């Protein structure tokens, strides 16, 4: 059994707003092991992004315990244990693609030779070789998001946290990037936590799917999704795939995600 | 396809020229024959431009007709100031209409290659500027407008060429000393205080209301105070410029530093970046369009500030000093010479900053290519 990387115990998070407290996360218990691909799925307001942000130390929980490799989230963040991919590529427009990938390395104080080598290998990994000198706004949305994945991988993190990274892209580009992400995951064996609201995307990518439900944000059900490492796009028409997708949908329904 | 293509500028020019023939000669010093020659040139230009010519040829014809006629009309005012007839102004209007047509032909349909587009981008505004000067010259001298009200540009030009040493001394005093020093110090101080105020929030909370009040002080009010504090020479003018430029830079830099998105700041946070790293690698860059805005606003403010501050006591040199004393002596051509100098300096200053802005903020959506 691989080691546990992310461990949440009885996690609570309440936001104080002008309309009173909002219970974003309640009683979250979740263990993620090394090399897993875990998707968090649920309707908006179910706390899936908030949970990811707690793992990344972008939000502080108000109760319970969260450990990353036995460290606090803050220690893990400062140790660059993870690479974070946002909903938008968030590439800096005044930097070329290679300089964008180099940004986290510059912050860390990595030397020039290592930077050059990491830029090359990671842009290669996301199939962006040859676009080093382009500016972000000269690239398509899908290419920008691939560059941002290369940037997240450049610090050589143990895990990848992805917050609806393909949500803003059209379906054809999304299919293509899903396939590429799977290959990348198989190649790098990184632990991935992936937030999405698309059932096919979650089933296609994950080894485990965490179904969340809203108000307050909590885990409704955790579904195993053992389709193996090799998943061609047309796996989505097989009965095994459809069965798991059905299970996820039933889980969302039971968690009142489809209530008006 | 007919051989004639009517365009309204040429048509109006044709009508105006024919109408001008009812009031010959155009001025007291122009013979009827010379006036007729002007009219003939204008008629030829108008008619030719309505034939289907290649646009380069049409432009050449219009250039010769409009500027040729304008030149003849200006010479026709020699020792005949104030004697221009209605016919003179009608033919001037005709020449101007042909000049307008020339600009229209040169601008084309906007689908030019990059090479000619560059030439057009320079010549069209230049032609426009030349025509403003021609109309100014002919109307002022033709109608005999008093010199004190508005001198003709030719007189201002002569005054400039005769007063180059004085203008150079004024330029040194006002621009090179007061404006430049005040601008650099004011902008730099505004920028540095903004960086500090951004780091230590209490500083901003205390400073901004005070700064708001200082910027609301009328410059006319603080200039004499500065003269008392810092003396008659350029230092007091520089002080006025510092007061005027400090606040726009402070406010714009603060706004620029806040211009990053939450996602970008979160991104830097996931890298464990320090405050100064975030400032240097993210927020400072994002603030550049705002900072350049302040630099451009301040370039005009600084010039105005230094010139007006000289109205309140100065050694006997400086652009503001010259304007205020020469107005008193009714030497309006000298006043206009200083105004022209200020306009040129201000435009070059602003233009250089705009050019620099393009290279620094090339990534901004408004400059992307």
């Amino acid at each position: 059994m691989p080691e546990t990387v992310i461990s949440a115990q009885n996690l609570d998070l309440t936001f104080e707003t002008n309309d009173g407290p909002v219970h974003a996360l309640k009683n979250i218990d979740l263990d993620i092991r090394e090399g897993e691909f875990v998707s968090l799925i649920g309707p908006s307001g179910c706390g899936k992004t908030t949970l990811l942000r707690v793992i990344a130390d972008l939000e502080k929980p108000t109760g319970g315990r969260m450990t990353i490799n036995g460290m606090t989230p803050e220690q893990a963040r400062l140790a660059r244990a993870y690479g974070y991919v946002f909903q938008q590529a968030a590439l800096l427009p005044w930097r070329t693609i290679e300089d964008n990938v180099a940004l986290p390395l510059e912050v860390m104080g990595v030397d020039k030779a290592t930077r050059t080598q990491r830029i090359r290998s990671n842009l290669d990994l996301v199939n962006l070789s040859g676009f080093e000198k382009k500016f972000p706004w000269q690239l398509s949305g899908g290419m920008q998001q691939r560059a941002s994945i290369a940037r997240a991988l450049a610090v050589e993190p143990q895990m990848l946290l992805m917050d609806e990274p393909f949500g803003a892209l059209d379906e054809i580009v999304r299919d293509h990037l899903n396939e590429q992400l799977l290959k990348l995951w198989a190649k790098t064996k990184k632990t991935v936590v992936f937030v999405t609201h698309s059932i096919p995307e979650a089933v296609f990518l994950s080894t485990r799917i965490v179904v969340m439900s809203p108000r307050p944000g909590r885990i409704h059900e955790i579904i195993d999704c053992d389709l193996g490492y090799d998943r061609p796009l047309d796996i989505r028409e097989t009965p095994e795939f459809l069965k798991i997708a059905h299970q996820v949908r039933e889980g969302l329904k039971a968690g009142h995600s489809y209530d008006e | 396809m007919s051989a004639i293509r009517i365009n309204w500028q040429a048509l109006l020019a044709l009508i105006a020229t024919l109408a001008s023939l009812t009031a010959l000669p155009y001025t007291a010093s122009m013979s009827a024959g010379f006036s007729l020659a002007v009219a003939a040139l204008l008629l030829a230009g108008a008619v030719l431009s309505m034939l289907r010519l290649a646009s380069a040829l049409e432009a050449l014809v219009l250039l010769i007709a409009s500027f040729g006629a304008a030149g003849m009309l200006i010479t026709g005012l020699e020792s005949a100031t104030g004697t221009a007839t209605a016919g003179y102004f009608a033919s001037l209007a005709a020449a101007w209409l042909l000049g307008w047509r020339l600009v229209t032909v040169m601008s084309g349909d906007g689908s030019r290659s990059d090479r000619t587009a560059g030439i057009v981008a320079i010549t069209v505004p230049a032609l426009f500027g030349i025509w403003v000067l021609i109309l100014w010259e002919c109307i002022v001298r033709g109608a005999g407008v008093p010199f004190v009200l508005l001198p003709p540009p030719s007189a201002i030009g002569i005054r400039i060429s005769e007063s180059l040493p004085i203008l150079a001394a004024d330029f040194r005093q006002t621009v090179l000393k007061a404006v430049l020093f005040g601008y650099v110090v004011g902008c730099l101080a505004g920028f540095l205080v903004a960086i500090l105020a951004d780091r230590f929030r209490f500083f901003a909370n205390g400073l901004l209301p005070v700064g708001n009040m200082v910027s609301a002080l009328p410059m006319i009010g603080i200039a004499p105070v500065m003269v008392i504090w810092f003396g008659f020479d350029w230092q007091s003018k520089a002080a006025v410029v510092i007061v005027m430029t400090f606040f726009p830079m402070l406010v714009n830099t603060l706004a620029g530093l806040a211009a990053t998105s939450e996602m970008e700041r979160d991104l830097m946070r996931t890298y464990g970046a320090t405050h100064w790293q975030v400032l240097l690698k993210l927020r400072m860059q994002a603030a550049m369009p705002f900072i350049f805005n302040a630099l451009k606003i301040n370039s005009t403010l600084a010039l105005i500030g230094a010139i007006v501050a000289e109205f309140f006591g100065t050694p006997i040199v400086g652009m503001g000093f010259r304007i205020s004393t020469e107005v008193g002596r009714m030497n309006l051509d000298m006043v206009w010479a200083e105004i022209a100098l200020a306009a040129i300096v201000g435009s070059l200053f602003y233009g250089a900053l705009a050019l620099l802005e393009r290279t620094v903020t090339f990534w901004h959506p408004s400059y992307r290519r």
Side-chain angles (χ1 to χ4, degrees), chain A residues 106-163:
Chain A
E106 286 174 24
V107 172
M108 286 169 68
V110 171
D111 66 86
K112 184 100 177 28
T114 317
R115 284 210 304 260
T116 318
Q117 181 264 320
R118 296 252 191 108
I119 290 165
R120 191 155 36 91
S121 61
N122 284 298
L123 282 180
D124 211 35
L125 209 56
V126 297
N127 292 329
L128 274 182
S129 303
F131 293 93
E132 291 88 349
K133 306 286 181 201
K134 293 274 185 217
F135 285 95
W137 28 274
Q138 296 168 322
L139 265 52
S140 69
M143 289 166 105
Q144 289 184 23
Q145 198 52 285
R146 265 149 61 196
S148 92
I149 293 172
R151 179 179 62 184
L153 290 170
V155 299
E156 300 194 336
Q158 183 193 7
M159 52 186 178
L160 209 50
L161 308 180
M162 306 179 90
D163 182 9

Side-chain angles (χ1 to χ4, degrees), chain A residues 10-16 22-25 49-66 71-78 82, chain B residues 266 269:
Chain A
N10 206 18
L11 204 67
D12 262 298
L13 177 57
T14 311
F15 289 116
E16 293 299 333
V22 173
H23 222 136
L25 294 174
T49 295
T50 308
L51 180 54
L52 194 74
R53 288 173 64 84
V54 172
I55 298 173
D57 187 38
L58 294 174
E59 307 284 356
K60 303 271 187 214
T62 46
R65 235 168 78 86
M66 163 74 76
M71 295 184 281
T72 65
E74 185 175 7
Q75 287 168 332
R77 172 170 67 85
L78 295 176
Y82 66 82
Chain B
D266 277 346
R269 195 170 146 78

Side-chain angles (χ1 to χ4, degrees), chain A residues 1-6 31-39 68-69 81 157-161 181-194 205-208 224-229 231:
Chain A
M1 196 87 157
E3 256 178 84
T4 301
V5 184
I6 300 166
D31 281 332
I32 297 173
R33 286 180 295 279
E34 191 171 3
E36 273 197 291
F37 196 123
V38 175
S39 286
I68 317 277
N69 285 329
Q158 183 193 7
M159 52 186 178
L160 209 50
L161 308 180
L181 179 61
L182 260 189
K183 285 194 187 121
L184 197 122
W185 173 64
K187 212 187 300 179
T188 58
K189 302 276 192 304
K190 294 210 187 289
T191 312
V192 182
V193 186
F194 190 93
L205 293 169
S206 317
T207 56
R208 273 203 298 164
D224 283 315
C225 177
D226 203 7
L227 297 172
Y229 271 100
R231 305 178 184 188

